[in-house]
């Protein structure tokens, strides 16, 4: 059968590494290295070409894709289009730093390349909080970026916002929400700050020098976002994602439905034919491996049917609609209600999940302890 898969492109460069970030992202690379990275990326895409494979979504993430020239992003996109069967109406997103979004750059992405969705890493509109996150843009840059994107013809714009930031009050969070709603974009992603091991923020917290919000305040901020976004006309369709009708992220739905995708670039993950692979992480080693024709995959894991089913449950519960139980049975040849009878009974009795309209989904109570419920389905 003809394969359908999303495409993810990783651009690992950032102007400066943020103190909370544990993504595969690096600052300080020279322009010449970036040029070699783009060459290597195009070569990797060509070497894994599948002209028959249907591609409904392409997502450029990072890092900061807009650290590259617009012409580089367009060239990478054209390489995907030349080597896969990209849908005429494919969703083509790039993440963008608000500080890079000048009108000419955005017009080149839109008109020259066919990008049709922008995801801005705004995080907050509060300059004091932005500085404390090591972000280089300002709240005004973010406002201007959205206006420039609209002027360049982008209708599908998403903003990433963060809450539970050090020293952030509920009033601060409310002001960021006010600004986001006033900008009238069709999609919002709103995540709590997570302190990951190995980051400068982690070290500061260990030394007692990171004034974090309490768990209670974090939960209240999550609830506030949910309530206010719905009042502003957004639908919550995933734990942390909100959209106006017709603007859900089609690319992210591929992940949440545990469907297939290619990942190109340093550290990018792919999920194809039941196997999960991971590319070489360091950009310099990635470039060298591609250039010398070596094996790019640093890990390759074939999932057992039980693991694949567990991941489908775990990811599917992130979506408000939950896991489609008939679709699950068609895909795996067994019913989730039988395979996971014990887990479903325990979590239903606790009031964390429910079955409604043929879907298994989180209840409001389950939403607030989300990851614990989802992890229950992994082997
Ligand atoms: S801009 Fe994003 S990817 Fe880059 S360092 Fe900051 S959080 Fe990480």
């Amino acid at each position: 059968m003809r394969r359908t898969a999303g495409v993810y492109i990783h651009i690992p460069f950032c102007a400066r590494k943020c103190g909370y970030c544990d993504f595969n992202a690096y600052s300080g690379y020279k322009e010449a290295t970036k040029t070699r990275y783009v060459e290597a990326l195009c070569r990797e895409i060509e070497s894994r070409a599948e002209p028959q494979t249907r591609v409904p979504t392409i997502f450029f993430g990072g890092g900061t894709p807009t650290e590259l020239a617009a012409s580089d992003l367009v060239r990478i996109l054209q390489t995907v289009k030349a080597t896969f069967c990209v849908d005429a109406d494919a969703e083509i997103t790039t993440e963008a730093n608000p500080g890079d979004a000048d009108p000419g750059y955005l017009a080149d992405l839109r008109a020259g390349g066919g990008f049709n969705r922008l995801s801005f890493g705004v995080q907050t509109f509060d300059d004091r909080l932005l500085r404390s996150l090591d972000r280089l843009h300002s709240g005004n840059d973010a406002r201007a970026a959205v206006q420039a994107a609209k002027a360049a013809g982008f209708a599908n714009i998403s903003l990433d916002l963060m809450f539970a930031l050090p020293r952030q009050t509920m009033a601060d969070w409310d002001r960021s929400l006010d600004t986001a709603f006033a900008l009238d974009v069709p999609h919002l992603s709103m995540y709590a700050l997570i302190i990951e091991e190995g980051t400068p923020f982690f070290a500061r917290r260990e030394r007692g020098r990171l004034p974090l919000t309490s768990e209670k305040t974090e939960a209240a901020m999550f609830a506030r976002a949910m309530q206010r976004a719905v009042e502003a006309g957004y639908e919550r369709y995933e734990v942390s994602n909100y959209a106006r009708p017709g603007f859900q992220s089609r690319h992210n739905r591929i992940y949440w439905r545990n469907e297939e995708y290619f990942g190109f670039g340093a550290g990018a993950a792919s999920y194809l034919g039941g196997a999960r692979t991971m590319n070489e992480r360091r950009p310099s080693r990635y470039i060298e491996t591609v250039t010398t024709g070596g094996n790019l995959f640093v890990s390759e894991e074939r999932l057992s049917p039980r693991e694949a089913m567990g991941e489908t449950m775990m990811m599917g519960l992130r979506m408000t609609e939950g896991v489609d139980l008939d679709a699950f049975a068609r895909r795996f040849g067994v019913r989730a209600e039988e395979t996971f009878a014990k887990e479903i009974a325990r979590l239903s009795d606790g009031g964390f999940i429910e079955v409604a309209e043929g879907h298994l989904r989180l209840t409001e109570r389950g939403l607030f302890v989300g990851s614990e419920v989802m992890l229950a389905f992994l082997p």
Side-chain angles (χ1 to χ4, degrees):
M1 201 173 70
R2 192 174 169 215
R3 166 184 273 167
T4 297
V7 166
Y8 173 77
I9 308 279
H10 191 73
I11 309 297
F13 308 114
C14 287
R16 180 165 78 189
K17 183 93 183 187
C18 305
Y20 61 91
C21 177
D22 79 331
F23 297 146
N24 189 33
Y26 308 84
S27 61
Y29 273 96
K30 296 197 173 74
E31 288 307 313
T33 309
K34 293 180 187 172
T35 303
R36 289 177 58 223
Y37 184 82
V38 173
E39 292 287 341
L41 191 45
C42 291
R43 205 193 271 204
E44 186 203 353
I45 296 166
E46 283 162 356
S47 73
R48 297 172 67 189
E50 287 189 10
Q52 297 302 317
T53 292
R54 198 192 130 212
V55 170
T57 65
I58 304 172
F59 191 101
F60 286 63
T64 309
T66 50
E67 274 290 290
L68 294 181
S71 57
D72 285 334
L73 297 184
V74 169
R75 180 178 160 201
I76 298 162
L77 176 57
Q78 297 305 355
T79 305
V80 177
K81 287 185 171 175
T83 47
F84 288 83
C85 184
V86 178
D87 285 355
D89 68 343
E91 176 189 272
I92 304 175
T93 306
T94 183
E95 291 181 341
N97 174 21
D100 300 328
D102 73 69
Y105 188 100
L106 296 175
D108 286 348
L109 291 184
R110 177 102 189 104
F115 284 86
N116 52 30
R117 186 170 183 271
L118 288 172
S119 174
F120 285 115
V122 170
Q123 318 313 352
T124 166
F125 292 94
D126 183 316
D127 290 344
R128 174 185 59 96
L129 293 173
L130 282 167
R131 277 194 298 276
S132 76
L133 290 174
D134 304 325
R135 303 295 303 212
L136 290 167
H137 67 270
S138 67
N140 275 339
D141 287 339
R143 290 182 189 87
V146 172
Q147 303 307 352
K150 288 183 178 178
F154 284 93
N156 198 346
I157 301 169
S158 179
L159 307 182
D160 281 356
L161 298 175
M162 287 169 76
F163 58 91
L165 305 177
R167 293 203 175 85
Q168 187 182 32
T169 63
M170 187 62 95
D172 294 331
W173 180 224
D174 267 331
R175 272 195 297 277
S176 265
L177 292 173
D178 288 340
T179 309
F181 299 149
L183 286 170
D184 194 24
V185 294
H187 191 278
L188 298 169
S189 298
M190 301 196 264
Y191 292 95
L193 173 69
I194 295 176
I195 308 296
E196 304 283 2
E197 204 168 339
T199 60
F201 271 35
F202 185 86
R204 276 173 60 193
R205 188 182 69 184
E206 293 303 285
R207 292 199 304 272
R209 294 185 46 201
L210 195 65
L212 289 171
T213 52
S214 67
E215 272 183 31
K216 202 169 143 217
T217 306
E218 178 180 325
M221 287 178 168
F222 176 68
R224 182 83 116 229
M226 204 155 66
Q227 177 215 334
R228 292 203 52 200
V230 169
E231 283 168 7
Y234 295 88
E235 181 200 8
R236 185 175 62 76
Y237 71 101
E238 193 266 352
V239 174
S240 306
N241 283 275
Y242 300 80
R244 296 246 164 87
F247 286 95
Q248 295 186 6
S249 163
R250 287 163 55 196
H251 185 80
N252 283 340
R253 286 173 70 90
I254 289 177
Y255 300 141
W256 298 323
R257 288 183 170 163
N258 205 21
E259 293 171 344
E260 295 192 298
Y261 55 88
F262 283 83
F264 298 117
S270 301
Y271 182 49
L272 297 162
R276 200 176 295 291
T277 54
M278 176 83 73
N279 282 359
E280 190 69 71
R281 269 178 77 82
R282 299 284 305 191
S284 47
R285 278 211 293 272
Y286 169 84
I287 294 169
E288 195 189 316
T289 309
V290 174
T291 311
T292 56
N295 179 15
L296 254 191
F297 299 154
V298 289
S299 70
E300 188 159 4
E301 181 196 6
R302 185 156 290 281
L303 300 188
S304 69
R306 175 66 181 76
E307 286 169 331
M309 286 191 276
E311 290 196 1
T312 301
M313 298 295 283
M314 180 181 78
M315 300 302 285
L317 283 172
R318 295 194 62 87
M319 295 183 289
T320 311
E321 70 183 31
V323 178
D324 181 332
L325 294 169
D326 286 344
F328 183 100
R330 280 195 299 278
R331 177 170 172 182
F332 294 108
V334 289
R335 293 208 66 86
E337 301 93 307
E338 288 162 19
T339 307
F340 298 104
K342 244 181 17 215
E343 291 83 356
I344 292 174
R346 181 169 61 81
L347 294 168
S348 303
D349 289 349
F352 299 115
I353 56 175
E354 64 187 4
V355 176
E357 294 152 25
H359 287 68
L360 184 78
R361 62 190 191 195
L362 291 180
T363 60
E364 177 100 1
R365 178 158 188 221
L367 186 63
F368 280 84
V369 287
S371 50
E372 282 165 50
V373 176
M374 294 168 205
L375 288 173
F377 292 93
L378 291 188

